[in-house]
Amino acid sequence: MGGAGMEQNISPANSPAQQDSLFSMMDVFLISLITGLFTYWFFFRKKKEEVPDLPKMQSVAAPVRDSSFIEKMKKTGRNIVVFYGSQTGTAEEFANRLAKDAHRYGLRGMAADPEEYDLSDLSRLSEIDKSLAVFCMATYGEGDPTDNAQDFYDWLQEADADLSGLRFAVFGLGNKTYEHFNAMGKYVDKRLEELGAQRIFELGLGDDDGNLEEDFITWREQFWPAVCEHFGVEATGEESSIRQYELVVHTDVNMNKVYTGEMGRLKSYENQKPPFDAKNPFLAQVTENRKLNEGGERHLMHLELDISNSKIRYESGDHVAVYPANDSSLVNQIGEILGTDLDTIMSLNNLDEESNKKHPFPCPTSYRTALMYYLDITNPPRTNVLYELAQYATDAGEQERLRKMASSAAEGKALYLSWVVEARRNILAILQDMPSLRPPIDHLCELLPRLQARYYSIASSSKVHPNAIHICAVTVEYETKTGRLNKGVATNWLKNKVPNENGSNSLVPMYVRKSQFRLPFKPSTPVIMIGPGTGIAPFIGFIQERAWLKQQGKEVGETVLYYGCRREREDYLYREELARFHQEGVLTQLNVAFSRDQAEKVYVQHLLKKNKENIWKLINEGNAHIYVCGDARNMARDVQNTFYEIVAEFGNMGQPQAVDYVKKLMTKGRYSLDVWS
């Protein structure tokens, strides 16, 4: 075929001799080429067939993480699983306490992170005798699930599962100062019932604005009798102290294998590798730390963190999470009072070998490192900690006092509230005020909760500062009822992060948490920003971004700010920056309320009422987006009520219709909150 084809392409002017010569040369060439290709294809194809056979014979299947909590429960003889949706560690702590309680009733419990398991297995829980699923679900921000419960929340929304064999109970953790109080707990409770599950005890609603610990104890003391009645079991005896971890002291250990404050990977602070997150924070250098206010007793500060070469990206409105360290003097005092060598290298190993949580914090480490970087030593301890510590008090009166405060009796709850919570007694203060209480330091380390990251609204725009994150914060410092000076962990730690030549003392472990607090997609959309005090932080980023957009030739809508502080001469934050933005026309309105510069206090909501006609015009005609940042307990609520009044007056609506109008703005993303209590 090849020769014939080539013959047809030869010019008729060629002689027969030329034709014969060319024909034979072409034939030889083509035959050689075809033979070569065939040989190559034959051997290549053979190899391709043979190669897969080798790994099939030699390979071992890669270990797959067991995502079935059912199989784990069967394997370990558990019948109660307590899932937790936790952002700050409290829900996880409550879940562990409930799982531990189970043994008192002849049951066996396990706490579980929903992120680690396939929750569609809930339909199979009835395969286990006397089985029960409990959910300790915290609500984050404006009614959102916590990060680790997001997948579970998504599954519940989409699931069409038959959960008729599932028995469950829910305890929610929330804060009444927020618009969507306990939204996650309420949703899980309602949705599980809709899917056919059987609720064996009523929904518990914990309020962190009140006394979350008391709410939990009250719910728990009624929850267990309901479980006993349902399963026909009885308490096996009084609650007893059962250690979850065993102490191992390392006398001969390679110091390169010892944790020195890292959150996850060993030596991660020496060898920084992206991506950076909660378990792998970036060590950002503080390049600027200046005091923002001119006078007054408080210290308000502006910090700038260098994120060059980190590959960290952020948007205006996001949060920066910072991992602080405890005050070394508090750590030293705990070591002295307990007569401990804080530099002892140890590990706390979980006695339950099947547990996913091998240690309460990164181990091996020293007691000093644990108390400095991993454990919360400044917040008042919860009642379960007091109960466990009571056994170490040699004075009968002190032991009784501790047990009483840990009890569910009304007198005990009142004592705990006044002596611990309201007096803000931390663990050091309790040890100081109870001279006979000297627990082993390893048990104390087991009981104390983890030190959590602190979140701050980012006070910069990545369009203007792509390699830096700015923080605006006020140092927390107050005197307690006992005359002690208590200091906020993170703010006082940040205050001392002063930039220096080598930068070694000004490193901050951090990562970025994405937020829904976002500028409108169209730059031409008007924005109304309301932020007293350090609530100004995200709006500095917003204004910077609107200025940048304007410089790019974009049409930028009205940018209106309502800002509040105590006194103009003391704590007017970012005064020069705001004045410049206003002068340049980026900030079209700058409304500042100085609450204490006159006899009658003036707050941001008063200025909103003063400009109510303009506010309504921006909302109704301009489709403005409203942003509120700051205190949730009073300011955010008062501002929202003011918007109800403005909408009712200018929209010719009754109060219920006005409330509904504002709620719809929230649903559409036109009324956003970034608040804290």
Side-chain angles (χ1 to χ4, degrees), residues 502-522:
N502 63 19
S504 60
N505 297 324
S506 62
L507 295 173
V508 172
M510 52 72 68
Y511 66 96
V512 168
R513 188 182 195 280
K514 295 296 176 187
S515 166
Q516 298 302 314
F517 204 68
R518 286 278 184 271
L519 278 168
F521 180 71
K522 290 182 181 176

Side-chain angles (χ1 to χ4, degrees), residues 376-603:
D376 185 346
I377 61 173
T378 58
N379 273 316
R382 299 198 185 277
T383 56
N384 66 305
V385 176
L386 301 184
Y387 183 88
E388 299 256 1
L389 292 179
Q391 62 185 303
Y392 301 112
T394 54
D395 178 84
E398 288 181 2
Q399 187 174 107
E400 185 188 350
R401 191 174 177 82
L402 286 165
R403 290 198 190 279
K404 184 183 286 185
M405 285 190 288
S407 74
S408 56
E411 187 186 351
K413 288 178 181 177
L415 182 61
Y416 173 75
L417 181 64
S418 63
W419 199 78
V420 178
V421 179
E422 291 173 355
R424 299 300 297 172
R425 272 186 175 87
N426 57 32
I427 190 62
L428 176 60
I430 289 170
L431 292 172
Q432 288 170 337
D433 292 345
M434 291 192 162
S436 85
L437 178 62
R438 296 295 178 261
I441 193 166
D442 61 288
H443 198 179
L444 183 66
C445 288
E446 175 181 325
L447 294 170
L448 291 174
R450 281 293 293 268
L451 181 61
Q452 299 295 326
R454 272 36 175 197
Y455 296 92
Y456 298 94
S457 300
I458 296 176
S460 55
S461 164
S462 58
K463 301 285 192 297
V464 183
H465 301 282
N467 294 316
I469 282 176
H470 298 181
I471 294 175
C472 171
V474 56
T475 53
V476 177
E477 201 169 285
Y478 60 94
E479 189 175 309
T480 70
K481 288 181 178 179
T482 64
R484 292 180 171 93
L485 184 67
N486 276 11
K487 295 181 178 183
V489 176
T491 54
N492 282 276
W493 178 75
L494 285 171
K495 180 184 174 183
N496 295 318
K497 289 289 175 183
V498 181
N500 55 26
E501 286 182 13
N502 63 19
S504 60
N505 297 324
S506 62
L507 295 173
V508 172
M510 52 72 68
Y511 66 96
V512 168
R513 188 182 195 280
K514 295 296 176 187
S515 166
Q516 298 302 314
F517 204 68
R518 286 278 184 271
L519 278 168
F521 180 71
K522 290 182 181 176
S524 58
T525 304
V527 297
I528 303 167
M529 304 171 291
I530 303 137
T534 55
I536 187 77
F539 302 137
I540 294 297
F542 280 11
I543 298 164
Q544 284 178 4
E545 189 143 326
R546 303 274 274 194
W548 181 85
L549 287 164
K550 200 171 184 183
Q551 286 170 3
Q552 305 305 304
K554 304 280 187 187
E555 182 195 342
V556 177
E558 285 202 55
T559 305
V560 179
L561 176 67
Y562 286 85
Y563 170 60
C565 57
R566 295 179 183 182
R567 301 184 191 278
E568 184 174 6
R569 290 189 177 183
E570 287 185 5
D571 53 2
Y572 187 168
L573 307 182
Y574 299 105
R575 179 205 292 259
E576 291 80 12
E577 290 95 325
L578 292 173
R580 188 179 72 251
F581 284 128
H582 191 214
Q583 194 176 353
E584 292 170 356
V586 176
L587 197 52
T588 46
Q589 284 185 47
L590 174 58
N591 308 283
V592 189
F594 304 108
S595 62
R596 301 183 187 182
D597 272 350
Q598 59 286 312
E600 220 173 286
K601 289 187 177 177
V602 177
Y603 296 116

